[in-house]
């Protein structure tokens, strides 16, 4: 008998508040330091001067966070998952893909107002402007690759395959993040702030996806 998604992926008691609270608290702290031009910002600027070294490799890595690259990857994953759910006879088969798509749409809705609110200047490697915190490219990479991974994991039958998928997701996100900092497109805190913000979003999806199917119907393989 297949294991239901609710049984298979239920969060341990008390884990969900931590998944939300810790990154949310860190994001609030970083945002406060950026707005107040606190000591963390000065440390961030010194670290950036050490890390920035624009080259072709860093530019290509930064492109992993482009909408034109990350969103099509997510779209392919959503299409695959929707078809598999439908063929398996899962109730509300379209909801996991719809939830991930909504999460992707929330990225600019959240990031753009925050950029306007903080009005952080860019690094010396980019033309003078404001609105660099948090990093939109990092947020796009984290949500697109993260959502794709969360939805595909239950359909992979072996532990090595699941580990490989998670490793690929981490490599893509870290690659994009490193490229953005190395190229000078963003300060390190811009990237870390986006990590924190998007961890909250992905935690919401991780909690929501097991609840959108009805127990007792055909479910994805055990993850």
């Amino acid at each position: 008998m297949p294991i239901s998604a609710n049984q298979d992926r239920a969060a341990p008691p008390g884990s969900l508040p931590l998944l939300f609270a810790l990154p949310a608290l860190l994001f609030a702290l970083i945002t406060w330091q950026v707005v107040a031009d606190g000591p963390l910002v000065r440390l961030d600027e010194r670290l950036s001067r050490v890390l920035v070294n624009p080259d072709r490799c860093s530019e290509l890595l930064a492109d992993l966070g482009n909408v034109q690259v990350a969103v099509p990857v997510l779209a392919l994953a959503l299409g695959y998952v929707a078809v598999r759910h439908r063929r398996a006879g899962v109730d509300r088969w379209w909801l996991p893909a719809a939830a991930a798509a909504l999460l992707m749409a929330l990225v600019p809705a959240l990031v753009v107002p925050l950029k306007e609110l903080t009005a952080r200047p860019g690094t010396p490697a980019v033309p003078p402007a404001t609105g660099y915190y948090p990093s939109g490219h990092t947020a796009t990479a984290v949500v697109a690759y993260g959502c794709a991974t969360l939805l595909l994991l239950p359909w992979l039958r072996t532990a090595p395959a699941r580990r490989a998928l998670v490793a690929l997701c981490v490599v893509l996100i870290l690659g994009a993040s490193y490229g953005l900092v190395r190229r000078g497109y963003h300060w390190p805190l811009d990237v870390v702030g986006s990590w924190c913000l998007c961890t909250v979003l992905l935690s919401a999806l991780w909690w929501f996806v097991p609840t959108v199917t009805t127990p007792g119907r055909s479910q994805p393989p055990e993850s």
Side-chain angles (χ1 to χ4, degrees), residues 103 125 185:
L103 207 64
Y185 288 144

mmCIF file of all heavy atoms in Angstrom, residues 103 125 185:
data_model
loop_
_atom_site.group_PDB
_atom_site.id
_atom_site.type_symbol
_atom_site.label_atom_id
_atom_site.label_comp_id
_atom_site.label_asym_id
_atom_site.label_seq_id
_atom_site.Cartn_x
_atom_site.Cartn_y
_atom_site.Cartn_z
ATOM 1 N N LEU A 103 4.245 30.728 -5.627
ATOM 2 C CA LEU A 103 5.416 31.115 -4.839
ATOM 3 C C LEU A 103 6.421 31.861 -5.708
ATOM 4 O O LEU A 103 7.007 32.864 -5.278
ATOM 5 C CB LEU A 103 6.052 29.868 -4.234
ATOM 6 C CG LEU A 103 6.826 30.064 -2.927
ATOM 7 C CD1 LEU A 103 5.884 30.506 -1.821
ATOM 8 C CD2 LEU A 103 7.504 28.765 -2.528
ATOM 9 N N ALA A 125 31.519 47.958 -8.441
ATOM 10 C CA ALA A 125 31.664 47.277 -9.734
ATOM 11 C C ALA A 125 30.477 47.496 -10.663
ATOM 12 O O ALA A 125 30.532 47.085 -11.829
ATOM 13 C CB ALA A 125 31.847 45.769 -9.499
ATOM 14 N N TYR A 185 27.864 42.171 -8.696
ATOM 15 C CA TYR A 185 26.485 42.591 -8.906
ATOM 16 C C TYR A 185 25.759 42.847 -7.583
ATOM 17 O O TYR A 185 24.797 43.611 -7.533
ATOM 18 C CB TYR A 185 25.719 41.518 -9.687
ATOM 19 C CG TYR A 185 26.092 41.413 -11.146
ATOM 20 C CD1 TYR A 185 26.132 40.176 -11.792
ATOM 21 C CD2 TYR A 185 26.397 42.546 -11.896
ATOM 22 C CE1 TYR A 185 26.455 40.077 -13.136
ATOM 23 C CE2 TYR A 185 26.733 42.459 -13.243
ATOM 24 C CZ TYR A 185 26.757 41.214 -13.847
ATOM 25 O OH TYR A 185 27.079 41.115 -15.182
#
